[in-house]
Amino acid sequence: MDFTKFMNKFNEIERTLSPTSSLRLTFDNISPESEEPDANKRLWGVPVPPFVSDKVVSWIEEEFNEPPIYYNGNAVIRKVENVRMIDRYNAKNPTVGTLYLTATHLIFVEPDSNKETWILHMHIANIEKLPLSTTGSPLLIRCKTFLSVTFVIPKDSECHDVYTSLMKLYQPVSINKLYCFNYQPAKDDFPKSSGWDFFKLENEFRRLRVPNDIWTLCTLNMNYELCDTYPRQIYVPQEANTAMLIGSSRFRSKGRLPALTYLHSNKASICRCSQPLSGFSARCLEDEQMLEAIRKTNPNTDYMYVVDTRPRINAMANRAAGKGYENEAFYENIKFHFLGIENIHVQRTSLQKLIEACEQKTPTMSGFLNSLESSGWLKNIRSILDTSSFIASAVDKGVSVVVHCSDGWDRTAQVCSLAALMLDPYYRTIKGFQALIEKDWLAFGHKFSERCGHVQTDQREVSPIFTQFLDCTWQLMTQRSDAFEFNERFLLILHDHVHSCQFGTFVGNCEKDRLDLKLSERTFSLWGFMANHLNEYINPLYKPDVDKTIKPNLQPQCIKFWRGMFSRFESGVHPREPLSDLLLVSKDHCTSLEDHVQHLTKRIASFKNYISKSAKKLQDATAKTYKEPASEINDNKYNYDRKMSELSSADDDHPLKPTEMSFANLSLNERIDSASIKEEINSVAVDWKSMRNVTACSCSTPFDQFSKKTHCWKCGDIFCERCIDKSIPLPGQDSGKPVPVCRTCFRLVQKTSP
Amino acid sequence: MDFTKFMNKFNEIERTLSPTSSLRLTFDNISPESEEPDANKRLWGVPVPPFVSDKVVSWIEEEFNEPPIYYNGNAVIRKVENVRMIDRYNAKNPTVGTLYLTATHLIFVEPDSNKETWILHMHIANIEKLPLSTTGSPLLIRCKTFLSVTFVIPKDSECHDVYTSLMKLYQPVSINKLYCFNYQPAKDDFPKSSGWDFFKLENEFRRLRVPNDIWTLCTLNMNYELCDTYPRQIYVPQEANTAMLIGSSRFRSKGRLPALTYLHSNKASICRCSQPLSGFSARCLEDEQMLEAIRKTNPNTDYMYVVDTRPRINAMANRAAGKGYENEAFYENIKFHFLGIENIHVQRTSLQKLIEACEQKTPTMSGFLNSLESSGWLKNIRSILDTSSFIASAVDKGVSVVVHCSDGWDRTAQVCSLAALMLDPYYRTIKGFQALIEKDWLAFGHKFSERCGHVQTDQREVSPIFTQFLDCTWQLMTQRSDAFEFNERFLLILHDHVHSCQFGTFVGNCEKDRLDLKLSERTFSLWGFMANHLNEYINPLYKPDVDKTIKPNLQPQCIKFWRGMFSRFESGVHPREPLSDLLLVSKDHCTSLEDHVQHLTKRIASFKNYISKSAKKLQDATAKTYKEPASEINDNKYNYDRKMSELSSADDDHPLKPTEMSFANLSLNERIDSASIKEEINSVAVDWKSMRNVTACSCSTPFDQFSKKTHCWKCGDIFCERCIDKSIPLPGQDSGKPVPVCRTCFRLVQKTSP
């Protein structure tokens, strides 16, 4: 059987079958890029899709003599039966099932409960073979999504097989083998181009009113000559000349010269760069002039800050390598600050310890609190927020800031984006947050491939820098839930897709990498995908009109362990019904009812109007009848064709013209009228089904804690995101705005309202 | 001027003036018990209310030569100007104001912001005079409500005066001087008898179907002869004879023999007692028979548990004092368990350390987490929950449990009540939770006077045992927000009033104490007060139909620091809009709109009906008119007096009788009709005012984080609890249920609907 056909069929089945988790849905649709895979590459006579590397093919051929079996249309490389899955909180009741290893996923199927656990290979962080136990050989798999699961495989040899297979599959050597180059969304989802053009750097700077008479576009980097990890377009002070720019660039690590990243309305700005190559004594006049030029862009204060995000000791240590920090003696009118965010190695260890804190075998309260403290995770989060807050409040007070760390693409990216997030309400919208990531992380460069371990790399390069940025954002969100358009789910989806490489968005380390890889042609954009799911990310508490600058409370009690991220997959830890989801439903319900009330009120007004006018008319008519009954009957004939249903368009301002109406035609049109009013009234669900104990959509998709449950505004029933994909105005609502309805209701409304 | 008049006037002013905090309101209404205070007791010729002790009067007379001044009608003992108030998070910007010391409160008034801080003397936990600083002499006051505030008084002598005055005032020597014996609520609030009869022990046991053929009422304690800290009514196995009861009582510390406290539907029970006086070798056949009798009450299992809540080492240590634990050799079919909850001294120190953790001078993340961990507070909370959970799951499985600690009124009270809370959904209602406290804390005895430091006592007797019970309840609530009828505010109010002694409910240590003190005649009941404020305590997520037994998740990540309690007064720490409050408003809004939609829909149906029937009638009439116009006119005359407003009572089932109607009368009645429909439609607010940025009620009471903000269902505006004290059915709502409205709207609705 043809592999492609299998894959297509699998995709088709997938779209109808019940998934275990809605999060999974976004990761499991894979099919080859073209209908015809490379005809030369075959495995047991079956064409192999191009994303399975030759190495894997030959390895499979060497290892096996038989053709593969299939699970759900997925070619299975390994299938192991009687596997026990142990999750930490259920160690006493492991579930027994079958483990399938495919080219892209590890799938565990529990035959009794019909439950499936899918693990995307790209999400695997590490695999550990634990010591043999009496029940079998345990394999501990830790994921980048903080899922931690142990499979106990009866035979040690089988376990070893699965282990070695996974080791080969989970981390590609080449960036060209990443999942995104093969991922194909469901047919009618969105086109490949969607999302790639959402955020253009020049548009974002135009929004900040740049270029202007003070800041200009620097054209020296159009071919990445000045700095190949910077964007083509960088904005610098008008005053900065070519010599200054080139000089400064040469004096900065990796050529990352000071460039504008955020301009506040008060003319104070945030510029970013890397450390100077100052060593113990070197100086660079052009760099000094460059910083002076930046200082002068802000006429309101006669000094500016240079924030070195590193602890002073780290900065000093760098001098031995010819790098280091600015010599205060050479830079005038600048106040230097060291702000103590630790380096990537400390952060990596910190996360490892945090994960260990969550994974205690016999969890004790002191054990957890001690491990949480000694992991330093919250301390590190707090120091990132502290530095960002320092920058934001300086800018808010009108003082410009130049920020750097070592290479200026880890801590600098964190604090520049977080400071801007605190300063500019736009960045706290869904679109704005994406634009912020595009600017400070994608355009200005961040080593996603290494930091997230997308490809096989030096383990010392891996570090949760972007995860920390999301954690900091979450901390701000929990403190100021009214200031953010998006919710926790938005951050989790973002986090998971940064690591899944399902979309090209976070592939590569800088703008140049992404152009070279032709990602916008070869892969889908996460922004395009997210644009189709915006309603899942809405924070019901958001009000755009809140304070421009938000000032986080950095008291230790206010920095919290992000259970939603790090204990996400621990069943029983989470609230059954997240308050924010309930609130969102309540607000939607209110909106629907308010609208319906408006409509009914107007309908009553028109009836009232109609009755009173008609009564008057009748009185006149009754008086008339005795004189000229015939003429009245003629009038009736004229009115005979007017439909009562015209009432439905009547409101206070445009009432029916009752003087032209008469009652004689009523009985004839009553049925139409009755039906239309009934339709109006029934078109809006007054009662909405309670979210409590709703465990599955009517399409039988089971709901879990991550599932977005949506009400149909017409029938009030609860559906999953895939079933509520239509919007239509309801006849019983006054605003005429399209509202979410289920497919059945959509057809009903479509049928009746032409 | 007469003191009493001042007090009365003060109360009157108080009721109209803007308070700083809504919590404060419940503590500041004080007035003498009778109109005529003891004529003999006078201070500078002014009659002194009886609650000011002679000691204080003579002391004031000795110290002062001048008559006192007044603040807000309160006689001021000390008045100090230019005092700086420092709260920990605002150390850099202290507020300057005037400090007034009255007989009951410490009041700090900031003249610029018109803000007042009231501290009830009863709430003061301790006062510390800190070393003299350059700005003056600082006085640190820590409250039992976890408010911690420092007043810097310019002159050291004045500070010393305030200090010594407070030391005399804040903790009475005699229980008869407690606040409750003088507290008088606002006039129209509730009568003194209200609440005292809400919870009778026999009713609670009757609810548990006790007495029955297995459990009987023991009459031996009717005059507290068996055990004076137990209730009169105790329930014991039918099989237990007098010899066993007396023998067992004599063999137990303080006579606290095993008695029934909870009976589950599966016949498994929880009995409580104190430790046996076993020493190293003593045994008591009657006690052994007693436990055997208890075991036999449950026919479903052939064994039962005895849970000793103490760590084994503590129990062993008690043997040297002739106490200890049951010798397993003498008790058959019983499984003994030690469960490691630390004693009152460990808990006291734990809370002190927790408070220190919150009070760090230069707060660091590690510092906070380390202090939180080393305070052991969360560990202790977890071990109480763990023990309770052990008991609950045993009972749930059908195994009876006998629980004791040392004297059986600290840890035993905690775990018996918490286990019952997990087992019985009734206890998770407002009424049930109060009944639970009445049973396991008030009736079975808990040393509130000592543990809460109501009166001057050995500091080693103070311990936050009841606070821990509330904390544990809060932990359960955060995990299972659907299972509790009440909210966090309910727990906080409860906590504060256990310490305020404003009500007699928690005064004294056992049933006998309370009878002796005649509390139900001399003081008000907290339950009576709370019954008037139930709507402030409602949890919007509560659904009574959830699981009978709740099983908490005791993973360390799930045991949380209760910021709402311990960091309650730290500004900026709390969310601006608690999600649960918003949700409650949304739900009310939905309910109102749904009801209104029902009404409008029925109104439309009746109109429709009316029009169609009338049209038919008209057709007939028009036909008739040509034949017998006169008779029709007669009919009209008959109908002339019928009012169009009758329509408002029409619905689908009871439509107007249109055959008896005609249109001729319409124009005349149109005005009435129009007005009534307009009134209906306007009677329900479709838009509700947003809670955001609402900082004060229309009565100018400022809102803070504790204020309950309530919408008027008629005008949709936001009011404080005192302004929304009326409920009335609205003409535009179908159910006819009374709904909350503001006073203005109440008058409007009353005027129009007779």
Side-chain angles (χ1 to χ4, degrees), chain B residues 345-622:
Chain B
H345 310 299
V346 173
Q347 311 294 358
R348 181 181 56 251
T349 313
S350 179
L351 181 64
Q352 275 160 3
K353 285 187 183 169
L354 183 76
I355 292 169
E356 282 161 26
C358 297
E359 279 186 357
Q360 292 177 85
K361 280 271 148 43
T362 47
T364 66
M365 199 65 231
S366 295
F368 176 71
L369 285 174
N370 271 329
S371 322
L372 182 63
E373 190 278 317
S374 71
S375 80
W377 183 261
L378 296 183
K379 179 174 151 284
N380 291 323
I381 291 296
R382 189 171 179 241
S383 84
I384 296 164
L385 282 170
D386 196 35
T387 307
S388 312
S389 183
F390 175 86
I391 297 167
S393 81
V395 170
D396 199 41
K397 281 178 201 144
V399 185
S400 293
V401 184
V402 172
V403 184
H404 70 75
C405 46
S406 297
D407 286 337
W409 54 12
D410 288 312
R411 290 169 272 208
T412 300
Q414 287 176 331
V415 300
C416 286
S417 51
L418 285 166
L421 192 67
M422 294 174 194
L423 285 163
D424 191 339
Y426 169 69
Y427 293 132
R428 302 194 290 263
T429 64
I430 289 174
K431 211 180 140 194
F433 194 70
Q434 293 171 339
L436 184 65
I437 291 171
E438 275 280 344
K439 174 166 67 71
D440 271 315
W441 294 84
L442 296 172
F444 274 102
H446 172 68
K447 292 165 81 176
F448 282 105
S449 299
E450 284 78 15
R451 298 288 178 265
C452 302
H454 287 164
V455 289
Q456 281 176 36
T457 178
D458 180 0
Q459 279 303 302
R460 285 170 38 84
E461 283 285 306
V462 177
S463 192
I465 303 303
F466 191 77
T467 303
Q468 288 183 319
F469 164 65
L470 295 179
D471 194 332
C472 289
T473 306
W474 178 81
Q475 305 283 351
L476 294 175
M477 263 170 59
T478 54
Q479 289 191 20
R480 287 298 306 272
S481 51
D482 52 346
F484 290 83
E485 191 188 9
F486 45 85
N487 58 18
E488 182 179 1
R489 190 183 276 121
F490 175 77
L491 297 181
L492 292 176
I493 293 279
L494 208 47
H495 175 267
D496 290 352
H497 277 305
V498 166
H499 291 91
S500 76
C501 292
Q502 180 173 320
F503 301 96
T505 308
F506 291 95
V507 170
N509 291 339
C510 56
E511 194 182 278
K512 187 171 177 298
D513 278 2
R514 285 180 202 101
L515 286 174
D516 291 348
L517 284 166
K518 293 192 177 25
L519 290 173
S520 64
E521 295 157 36
R522 297 169 67 201
T523 71
F524 286 83
S525 160
L526 176 60
W527 308 143
F529 168 82
M530 287 185 116
N532 282 1
H533 297 79
L534 288 183
N535 60 341
E536 295 177 43
Y537 312 138
I538 295 294
N539 162 25
L541 295 176
Y542 176 59
K543 282 284 159 67
D545 57 350
V546 295
D547 322 346
K548 249 184 119 72
T549 304
I550 58 172
K551 292 180 179 66
N553 184 325
L554 298 179
Q555 290 305 320
Q557 293 104 305
C558 299
I559 310 294
K560 296 194 288 188
F561 169 73
W562 189 3
R563 212 163 54 171
M565 174 66 91
F566 303 109
S567 299
R568 184 148 40 130
F569 292 98
E570 289 177 4
S571 49
V573 172
H574 303 280
R576 286 198 179 185
E577 298 178 291
L579 275 184
S580 58
D581 284 359
L582 279 179
L583 189 60
L584 195 56
V585 166
S586 288
K587 283 186 80 173
D588 283 349
H589 193 185
C590 275
T591 308
S592 172
L593 287 169
E594 283 177 17
D595 205 337
H596 191 44
V597 164
Q598 293 298 355
H599 181 81
L600 295 176
T601 306
K602 286 191 181 173
R603 158 73 65 233
I604 285 175
S606 72
F607 266 121
K608 201 155 59 73
N609 216 359
Y610 177 74
I611 291 174
S612 68
K613 293 272 173 64
S614 299
K616 196 169 175 298
K617 177 115 186 100
L618 179 69
Q619 282 186 315
D620 298 351
T622 319

Side-chain angles (χ1 to χ4, degrees), chain A residues 89 363 366 373 382 482 541 543 547 555 576 582 589 594 612 615 618-619 626 629 663-664 667 670 692, chain B residues 89 363 366 373 382 482 541 543 547 555 576 582 589 594 612 618-619 626 629 663-664 666-667 670 692:
Chain A
Y89 290 114
S366 295
E373 190 278 315
R382 189 171 178 239
D482 52 346
L541 295 176
K543 283 283 159 65
D547 324 345
Q555 289 306 319
R576 286 196 180 187
L582 280 178
H589 192 185
E594 283 176 19
S612 68
L618 181 70
Q619 282 186 314
Y626 297 100
F663 286 99
S667 60
E670 196 185 350
R692 195 174 307 266
Chain B
Y89 289 114
S366 295
E373 190 278 317
R382 189 171 179 241
D482 52 346
L541 295 176
K543 282 284 159 67
D547 322 346
Q555 290 305 320
R576 286 198 179 185
L582 279 179
H589 193 185
E594 283 177 17
S612 68
L618 179 69
Q619 282 186 315
Y626 298 102
F663 286 98
L666 270 176
S667 60
E670 195 187 348
R692 195 175 306 265

Side-chain angles (χ1 to χ4, degrees), chain A residues 423-605:
Chain A
L423 285 164
D424 192 338
Y426 168 69
Y427 293 132
R428 302 194 288 264
T429 63
I430 290 175
K431 211 182 140 193
F433 194 70
Q434 293 171 338
L436 184 65
I437 291 170
E438 275 280 343
K439 174 166 67 72
D440 271 316
W441 294 84
L442 296 172
F444 274 103
H446 172 69
K447 291 164 83 176
F448 282 105
S449 299
E450 282 79 15
R451 298 288 178 264
C452 301
H454 288 164
V455 288
Q456 280 178 36
T457 176
D458 180 0
Q459 279 304 302
R460 286 170 37 84
E461 283 285 307
V462 176
S463 192
I465 303 303
F466 192 78
T467 303
Q468 288 184 319
F469 165 66
L470 295 179
D471 194 332
C472 289
T473 304
W474 178 81
Q475 305 283 351
L476 294 176
M477 263 169 60
T478 55
Q479 290 192 19
R480 289 297 307 274
S481 51
D482 52 346
F484 290 83
E485 191 188 11
F486 45 85
N487 57 18
E488 184 178 0
R489 190 182 277 121
F490 174 76
L491 297 181
L492 292 175
I493 294 279
L494 208 46
H495 174 268
D496 290 351
H497 277 305
V498 165
H499 292 90
S500 75
C501 293
Q502 180 173 318
F503 301 96
T505 308
F506 290 94
V507 170
N509 291 339
C510 56
E511 195 182 278
K512 186 170 177 297
D513 277 3
R514 286 180 201 99
L515 285 176
D516 291 349
L517 283 166
K518 294 193 176 23
L519 291 174
S520 63
E521 295 157 35
R522 297 169 67 200
T523 71
F524 287 85
S525 160
L526 178 59
W527 310 141
F529 169 82
M530 286 185 119
N532 281 0
H533 297 78
L534 288 184
N535 60 340
E536 295 177 42
Y537 312 138
I538 295 293
N539 162 26
L541 295 176
Y542 176 59
K543 283 283 159 65
D545 56 352
V546 296
D547 324 345
K548 248 183 119 73
T549 304
I550 57 172
K551 292 181 178 66
N553 185 323
L554 298 180
Q555 289 306 319
Q557 293 105 306
C558 298
I559 309 295
K560 296 194 289 188
F561 170 72
W562 189 4
R563 213 164 52 173
M565 174 68 91
F566 304 109
S567 298
R568 185 152 35 135
F569 292 97
E570 290 178 3
S571 49
V573 172
H574 304 278
R576 286 196 180 187
E577 298 178 290
L579 275 183
S580 57
D581 284 358
L582 280 178
L583 190 59
L584 193 58
V585 167
S586 288
K587 284 187 80 175
D588 282 349
H589 192 185
C590 274
T591 307
S592 170
L593 286 168
E594 283 176 19
D595 204 337
H596 191 43
V597 164
Q598 294 299 355
H599 181 82
L600 294 176
T601 306
K602 287 190 181 172
R603 159 71 66 233
I604 285 176

